[in-house]
Amino acid sequence: MTDALLIPQKRYATAVDYLNLMKPRIMMLVVFTGFAGLVAASSMTGVSMHPVMAAIATLAVALGSGAAGAINMWYDSDIDAVMSRTSTRPIPSGAVPRDEALALGLIVSGVSVMLMWLASNWLAAALLAFSIFYYGVIYTMWLKRATSQNIVIGGGAGAFPPVIGWAAVTGNMPLDAWILFAIIFFWTPPHFWALSLLAHKEYAKVSVPMLPVTHGAKVTRTQILIYTLVLVPVSLLPLATGLGGWIYGAAALGLGAAFIAYAVRLTRSKAGGPDAEGADMKLARNTFVFSIFYLFALFGAVLVEHAAGLHFPLVGV
Amino acid sequence: MPEMPDPVVPQLDAEAVKARNKRNLWLGLALAGFVLLVMVMTFIRLNTAAGVSERM
């Protein structure tokens, strides 16, 4: 084999590289939950927002998420280059220089907060700014490489979008908005730990103290079950406040039961352990994929109820 | 006055120039989009404010 085959070819950055820098898949989930919060707020309070302003506020949430993603990729480019899962990202692949990634993150952060302020109000803009800081600095720079609870505390960053959406419409943050926050907050650990069961060797290689690395696979699987058992009752709270109706209730119960079933099976498996078999790892992967479906479907139920006029609450609002 | 030496301009191959032009195009479009968004928001805010003052 010649050296030319071993050295990666120099490639020039395209717009897609810059888009990938903003973690578009995470962005989709963030936009979806933020939009659900926005629609639910309008339906619950009767306060309407100009549709164009609502669209721009949603775009601002997407840009804010992307900016935080770019800052994360800038800071983590050293470990991304070592882990095979992340080695093809724009910075380690050599397509985008680190400084450009940071510049993109900072500029888009400013633009997103400004757009949010102009489209809605200062509270939503301040929450968006704080959530970018939370992900880009608190999680990425302070927690991720320091504690095995990184994803638990850092999960707060991803939980802000529905609160931001709610604040964009009403200018305040009532209990219902924080219930939506809590759902994403308690969903994040089982979601991410299912992935880290698959990638724990990679995290160990770069000394990132993810739970399976520091406490082992068995503890991680148990923690996944515990957080799922907390998540399901939390997901039923909207029924008590009137935010969720019959459709949401049925979805939350069905999806919650399925999530618990996955978590129980995962706890009984050897996924992530040294003696894990193919079926165990497949189960961890399926749990991870299902967790994404779970959140989309749950917030989809909120959207359907409040956007399509199908909101029939179980309790008086 | 001594003559200043010409600045050194890095030589880019055709592929690099093409990639740079494409990036510049996207950057231009993004900037134009931003300006358009601010314009639309200003228009909506002014219209809303005019509507409120008419009702008063």
Side-chain angles (χ1 to χ4, degrees), chain A:
Chain A
M1 193 184 281
T2 62
D3 284 352
L5 290 172
L6 293 171
I7 300 165
Q9 273 202 319
K10 164 108 181 119
R11 70 185 186 91
Y12 300 103
T14 63
V16 175
D17 286 312
Y18 288 93
L19 184 69
N20 286 337
L21 210 53
M22 298 171 84
K23 300 193 175 183
R25 276 186 292 186
I26 293 180
M27 207 191 269
M28 282 198 300
L29 204 61
V30 164
V31 166
F32 193 71
T33 55
F35 186 64
L38 192 144
V39 170
S42 191
S43 159
M44 290 293 286
T45 62
V47 177
S48 63
M49 192 176 184
H50 193 288
V52 175
M53 294 299 216
I56 295 174
T58 307
L59 175 71
V61 171
L63 289 175
S65 160
I71 293 169
N72 171 275
M73 284 213 197
W74 162 75
Y75 191 81
D76 278 348
S77 60
D78 57 337
I79 58 174
D80 281 352
V82 178
M83 296 195 290
S84 57
R85 186 176 70 88
T86 53
S87 61
T88 54
R89 284 179 172 176
I91 299 176
S93 68
V96 178
R98 277 190 86 223
D99 294 348
E100 278 189 25
L102 177 63
L104 179 84
L106 294 176
I107 292 169
V108 176
S109 294
V111 167
S112 66
V113 173
M114 202 179 100
L115 282 179
M116 180 60 89
W117 196 345
L118 289 171
S120 58
N121 53 64
W122 69 268
L123 179 65
L127 283 169
L128 182 61
F130 181 67
S131 69
I132 296 169
F133 177 78
Y134 200 137
Y135 188 75
V137 177
I138 298 177
Y139 169 68
T140 303
M141 297 182 196
W142 296 346
L143 296 172
K144 186 172 175 179
R145 304 185 195 201
T147 168
S148 61
Q149 292 299 302
N150 48 17
I151 208 66
V152 177
I153 311 165
F160 269 105
V163 185
I164 297 170
W166 201 294
V169 176
T170 64
N172 58 37
M173 308 173 287
L175 178 65
D176 280 335
W178 289 109
I179 288 174
L180 296 177
F181 175 98
I183 291 170
I184 304 176
F185 183 81
F186 286 108
W187 164 86
T188 305
H191 162 73
F192 201 86
W193 282 334
L195 173 70
S196 67
L197 282 175
L198 297 164
H200 65 97
K201 284 179 188 161
E202 299 243 289
Y203 286 120
K205 206 159 63 177
V206 291
S207 304
V208 171
M210 287 298 172
L211 198 63
V213 178
T214 57
H215 291 74
K218 192 171 187 297
V219 171
T220 306
R221 295 193 301 264
T222 307
Q223 289 292 316
I224 287 174
L225 178 61
I226 291 169
Y227 272 91
T228 309
L229 289 174
V230 174
L231 168 66
V232 174
V234 169
S235 74
L236 296 174
L237 286 177
L239 299 176
T241 63
L243 171 64
W246 286 102
I247 296 172
Y248 175 86
L253 278 174
L255 290 163
F259 205 170
I260 289 174
Y262 267 109
V264 168
R265 283 176 61 202
L266 196 62
T267 309
R268 289 177 180 166
S269 78
K270 296 170 185 168
D275 50 351
E277 293 166 11
D280 298 318
M281 299 313 273
K282 193 178 172 193
L283 181 61
R285 187 180 302 279
N286 288 346
T287 306
F288 172 71
V289 172
F290 178 79
S291 69
I292 298 171
F293 171 74
Y294 173 88
L295 201 69
F296 265 114
L298 203 62
F299 277 79
V302 173
L303 259 180
V304 165
E305 282 196 340
H306 291 279
L310 297 170
H311 180 232
F312 305 111
L314 279 75
V315 295
V317 185

Side-chain angles (χ1 to χ4, degrees), chain B:
Chain B
M1 197 174 153
E3 210 171 287
M4 293 288 285
D6 289 338
V8 179
V9 181
Q11 292 298 312
L12 298 175
D13 59 39
E15 198 188 344
V17 171
K18 197 176 158 191
R20 187 185 63 186
N21 288 345
K22 265 191 178 176
R23 287 199 302 271
N24 287 348
L25 177 69
W26 280 108
L27 196 60
L29 286 173
L31 280 171
F34 176 69
V35 171
L36 189 73
L37 285 180
V38 173
M39 194 187 84
V40 167
M41 283 190 290
T42 308
F43 186 72
I44 291 171
R45 277 182 174 269
L46 286 175
N47 265 5
T48 311
V52 170
S53 64
E54 272 172 22
R55 284 196 295 275
M56 284 175 76

